[in-house]
Each structure stands twice: as C-alpha cells, then as structure tokens.
Amino acid sequence: MLTKDQLAAELKRIATTQISDITRAVKEGQKSIALNEVRDMAQRLNRLADAFSPRSAPPRPDVEGAEAA
C-alpha cells in the first residue's frame, strides 16, 4: 500500500508527464495525439484509484441454486 507521500509523488509524476505530452501535442497541432494522451492519463489515474478502492466485483451466480443444464 502506498503512503500519502508516495501517492502524491505518483499523482504528480503522472500529471507532469501527461500534461507535458498534451501541451506539446497541442502546440504542434496534433489534436488526435493530445486526445490520446488525455485518455492515457485518465486510464492511469483510474488504475491508481482502483488500487486504493477496487470497484465491486459483479455478483457471482449462486452455484448451489443454479439449475442443471
């Protein structure tokens, strides 16, 4: 488990790297690359968030109550 300081450092690293890439792409007029970088940043942040608070797994079927096929 990450400490608060480690989490802060990781968030800063992700934001700094991705924002730099997005800014560069926008300045160069590469809209699709900028959008890809935004998507990449969102995925990275979601994975980091999931590491701290995993989403609930979908309910598993009740094996005992299942009908035989």
Side-chain angles (χ1 to χ4, degrees), residues 3-68:
T3 66
K4 281 185 178 182
D5 290 339
Q6 290 171 323
L7 175 59
E10 183 62 13
L11 286 169
K12 185 174 181 176
R13 185 191 69 74
I14 290 170
T16 301
T17 302
Q18 297 294 149
I19 296 298
S20 174
D21 291 345
I22 293 165
T23 301
R24 186 184 73 254
V26 168
K27 285 181 180 178
E28 293 174 0
Q30 298 176 335
K31 181 181 174 182
S32 62
I33 292 175
L35 290 173
N36 287 339
E37 292 295 340
V38 170
R39 283 188 209 104
D40 186 47
M41 182 169 59
Q43 289 173 347
R44 289 172 187 258
L45 293 173
N46 283 331
R47 284 194 302 265
L48 186 59
D50 287 346
F52 280 89
S53 179
R55 295 183 181 132
S56 302
R60 296 169 70 187
D62 182 9
V63 177
E64 292 177 18
E67 294 180 24

